[in-house]
Amino acid sequence: MHFISQDLEDYIEQHSENEPELLARLNKETYQKILLPRMLSGHFQGRVLSMLSKLIRPVNILEIGTYTGYAALCLCEGMQENGQLHTIDIKEELVDFQRKYFDQSPWGNQIFQHLGEAVHIIPNLDVKFDLVFIDADKENYLNYWEMIVPKMNKGGIILSDNVLWSGKILEPVHPNDISTKVLLEYNLLLKNDPRVETVLLPIRDGLTVSRVL
């Protein structure tokens, strides 16, 4: 997942905006208690998400893949006062953990948790979105994309995480490696989809920014 040295990553964090205290506590508790803590967005990527949200000033945000709620809170930092964030995750055991931190933030009553398969939940969300963050099962990235684009406002931004997949997108693909196959197709789709303009950023494990035309 990391393509630059730890020393350089440390320098980048030290010269970026500080991690908010609530998120630092969430980060620490995730590493203490939750499986696969490397899934957390973390300090630097979290500040990137926060900055993008502040530039976009979204009213409605959708997050696919909540995990422990770190990225959701970062995205809320740029949300307008009347805004809402809808976040979807399949893991019931994380719902209370997420809610604990959501309710300690200024946006607790503006964050709506959805439990279940995103492919079933997204079609039932009667909302037009200004900002979407896709960070869930890679096998469904193509499905999520086709569901989300029609629900975007013009000029809206779709962020796609893990699109470099620890560098596997440059290696020979194992026949059983469905995730890498899908990501290769996904990255090509976003490059060529006439409905958006896209730039792939080498941030952490790869973050694509796509603007809806």
Side-chain angles (χ1 to χ4, degrees):
M1 181 181 290
H2 299 277
F3 301 107
I4 61 177
S5 71
Q6 187 62 54
D7 288 343
L8 193 52
E9 287 194 4
D10 291 343
Y11 182 89
I12 290 168
E13 284 193 5
Q14 291 162 8
H15 292 80
S16 297
E17 194 69 18
N18 291 336
E19 183 179 39
E21 188 270 338
L22 177 64
L23 291 178
R25 285 194 279 114
L26 192 166
N27 193 333
K28 182 177 180 180
E29 188 172 1
T30 297
Y31 273 84
Q32 289 174 334
K33 299 179 179 179
I34 308 297
L35 291 174
L36 302 174
R38 71 195 294 265
M39 292 172 58
L40 194 83
S41 289
H43 177 188
F44 173 59
Q45 186 177 18
R47 292 305 87 204
V48 172
L49 296 177
S50 170
M51 182 67 77
L52 290 171
S53 184
K54 288 170 182 173
L55 292 170
I56 297 162
R57 297 291 294 141
V59 175
N60 293 313
I61 305 172
L62 172 65
E63 178 187 45
I64 306 172
T66 316
Y67 190 48
T68 54
Y70 191 102
L73 291 172
C74 294
L75 295 170
C76 282
E77 292 179 28
M79 184 170 62
Q80 294 191 32
E81 288 185 8
N82 62 334
Q84 296 182 347
L85 181 141
H86 295 264
T87 185
I88 304 170
D89 205 283
I90 197 171
K91 294 185 178 179
E92 185 175 1
E93 66 272 19
L94 293 178
V95 170
D96 290 341
F97 187 102
Q98 300 158 6
R99 179 47 60 183
K100 178 177 71 172
Y101 281 96
F102 291 162
D103 286 344
Q104 292 179 60
S105 79
W107 312 284
N109 62 359
Q110 296 169 267
I111 300 175
F112 298 89
Q113 294 163 284
H114 301 271
L115 180 64
E117 297 277 358
V119 290
H120 302 311
I121 293 170
I122 294 169
N124 295 315
L125 295 176
D126 188 21
V127 182
K128 282 283 193 177
F129 293 103
D130 307 296
L131 176 59
V132 173
F133 183 43
I134 305 174
D135 186 17
D137 56 311
K138 312 312 162 194
E139 293 88 346
N140 270 308
Y141 264 38
L142 293 165
N143 294 325
Y144 296 150
W145 180 262
E146 295 302 340
M147 290 178 174
I148 287 167
V149 172
K151 289 181 172 290
M152 297 297 297
N153 285 318
K154 184 177 181 180
I157 299 294
I158 304 171
L159 305 174
S160 307
D161 201 17
N162 304 116
V163 291
L164 295 180
W165 207 224
S166 298
K168 291 181 182 179
I169 42 83
L170 294 178
E171 300 171 357
V173 181
H174 190 279
N176 296 327
D177 187 354
I178 304 302
S179 294
T180 301
K181 290 179 182 178
V182 170
L183 284 171
L184 287 167
E185 185 177 349
Y186 184 78
N187 291 340
L188 193 60
L189 170 64
L190 270 57
K191 163 66 177 175
N192 295 319
D193 194 325
R195 298 172 295 179
V196 299
E197 56 182 356
T198 289
V199 61
L200 197 165
L201 304 175
I203 291 172
R204 199 160 175 259
D205 196 27
L207 181 70
T208 298
V209 181
S210 301
R211 177 177 174 270
V212 178
L213 301 175

